[in-house]
Amino acid sequence: MKRLALLLALLVTTGAALAADVRVGPQGPGFYRLRMGADEVTALLDGTHPFLADELLTHIDRTKVDSLLKADYLASPVQGSINAFLVKTPDRLVLIDTGAGPLYAGDGGFLPTALLAAGYRPEDVTDVLLTHLHRDHVGGLIRNGTMLFPNAIVHINKADADFWLNAANESKVPKILLPMFSGAMDSLAPYQKAGHVVTFAGETDVLPGFHAIPAPGHTPGHTWYLITSGHEHLLAWGDTVHVATVQLADPNASIRYDYDEEQAAVSRKRALEDAVAKGYWIAAAHVSFPGLGHIRRTGAGYQWVPVNYTRTP
Ligand SMILES: [Zn+2]
């Protein structure tokens, strides 16, 4: 009888210990380096943010969204990465997009810590290339209202500058996109005041080795940057894909953040075809960190092939 009581007591204590939650801490600063030709590409994680895949994806059946997510052991909302990419060439330090900074509350704003952890200071950045002017790409430009990258020239497609820096266009977008205007204006203002913003139009070399390719749809001036070093190419495709599990399986699926959903799908399919045909490295803003990988064709759709982790690139 005494032995049974002891056994019961033991079971109760073990059960209580199992029921208590272990405190799971956060990750360390997110940076990941890749050698590409003569360049070093460093993915920088600004944060992760819940993407309401089932509510926001369009041109696709909601049950298909759920089943594709389930097959990847995911469910909506999916934690989406907010990635930016730092490219060190022999003579420049170029940042592609800047993350959300303070504009996504506690979900973003970790890029400066990741940058320092990777061994760089904000003042080392010579150029910022923006794929478009949405809040989670421009927000990281400023800290406390001043330039975080005081020595950088910010390069923007003129079509995006004309659209998002003009409040008269607010009537042309759905409610979900309204905060993008103030986000773009506030984040760029100190750079405009300092004369640090330049715009470009059409397909052009923004810097040696950095080729801008207009890919409209997600925004009017959404732009890819094809970076070439030696025989290698990396396509920084911005917001071509938001939820990779779904949109690679079905590239017709767009998202309510796309200004023109049909045109965004056309650009998306062009990027995927080019990536497969030419074997480009892809640098993706919202594919799971580090957002570096390749694209493989599979049946009617595509698959993401993540970079193979290398400790000493
Ligand atoms: Zn966007």
Side-chain angles (χ1 to χ4, degrees):
M1 198 61 204
K2 202 175 170 188
R3 194 174 278 185
L4 184 65
L6 263 176
L7 188 65
L8 276 173
L10 187 69
L11 280 174
V12 168
T13 349
T14 317
L18 284 177
D21 276 346
V22 169
R23 186 189 160 273
V24 178
Q27 313 290 3
F31 70 90
Y32 183 79
R33 295 185 220 274
L34 175 77
R35 178 189 296 278
M36 200 204 59
D39 296 348
E40 176 204 66
V41 177
T42 306
L44 298 169
L45 181 70
D46 188 57
T48 62
H49 180 69
F51 281 57
L52 295 161
D54 54 358
E55 286 178 31
L56 296 179
L57 288 166
T58 64
H59 297 79
I60 184 168
D61 189 77
R62 206 161 163 162
T63 54
K64 189 175 174 190
V65 170
D66 289 336
S67 73
L68 285 167
L69 290 175
K70 200 174 170 201
D72 270 7
Y73 296 88
L74 296 170
S76 187
V78 180
Q79 280 294 320
S81 295
I82 306 171
N83 304 319
F85 300 92
L86 187 70
V87 184
K88 188 182 189 200
T89 73
D91 55 3
R92 307 190 94 88
L93 191 62
V94 181
L95 181 62
I96 299 174
D97 290 334
T98 67
L103 301 180
Y104 270 32
D107 290 348
F110 300 96
L111 182 141
T113 313
L115 183 73
L116 287 171
Y120 296 102
R121 299 168 307 160
E123 49 269 44
D124 299 335
V125 175
T126 59
D127 300 87
V128 175
L129 310 188
L130 295 172
T131 58
H132 62 298
L133 300 192
H134 279 173
R135 298 194 312 155
D136 50 330
H137 299 256
V138 300
L141 280 169
I142 58 172
R143 185 155 56 182
N144 302 322
T146 62
M147 294 188 284
L148 178 61
F149 309 104
N151 300 315
I153 298 296
V154 181
H155 303 257
I156 312 173
N157 185 322
K158 187 172 184 299
D160 245 37
D162 288 348
F163 192 82
W164 300 108
L165 301 179
N166 181 357
N169 292 320
E170 286 181 1
S171 60
K172 297 178 187 167
V173 304
K175 209 171 150 203
I176 194 173
L177 292 177
L178 274 181
M180 304 300 179
F181 288 91
S182 61
M185 290 176 201
D186 295 349
S187 305
L188 280 161
Y191 292 87
Q192 290 174 305
K193 203 172 159 199
H196 281 209
V197 176
V198 296
T199 58
F200 59 85
E203 185 166 343
T204 182
D205 281 331
V206 175
L207 297 167
F210 292 78
H211 190 65
I213 304 169
H218 179 60
T219 64
H222 185 258
T223 298
W224 302 327
Y225 295 101
L226 183 65
I227 302 154
T228 300
S229 183
H231 298 296
E232 294 197 69
H233 304 281
L234 176 139
L235 184 71
W237 77 11
D239 279 10
T240 297
V241 165
H242 289 80
V243 183
T245 289
V246 177
Q247 292 178 289
L248 293 189
D250 185 350
N252 287 310
S254 283
I255 195 158
R256 292 196 200 285
Y257 296 115
D258 293 332
Y259 171 71
D260 181 331
E261 294 173 7
E262 284 76 21
Q263 199 178 23
V266 170
S267 290
R268 184 175 312 111
K269 288 184 263 190
R270 179 157 64 104
L272 293 167
E273 276 306 300
D274 282 0
V276 170
K278 293 165 185 162
Y280 291 153
W281 277 107
I282 300 295
H286 299 308
V287 170
S288 189
F289 180 77
L292 291 166
H294 289 90
I295 296 294
R296 172 167 67 206
R297 193 183 280 115
T298 160
Y302 302 85
Q303 237 174 22
W304 178 255
V305 183
V307 62
N308 180 51
Y309 185 91
T310 311
R311 203 188 69 80
T312 50

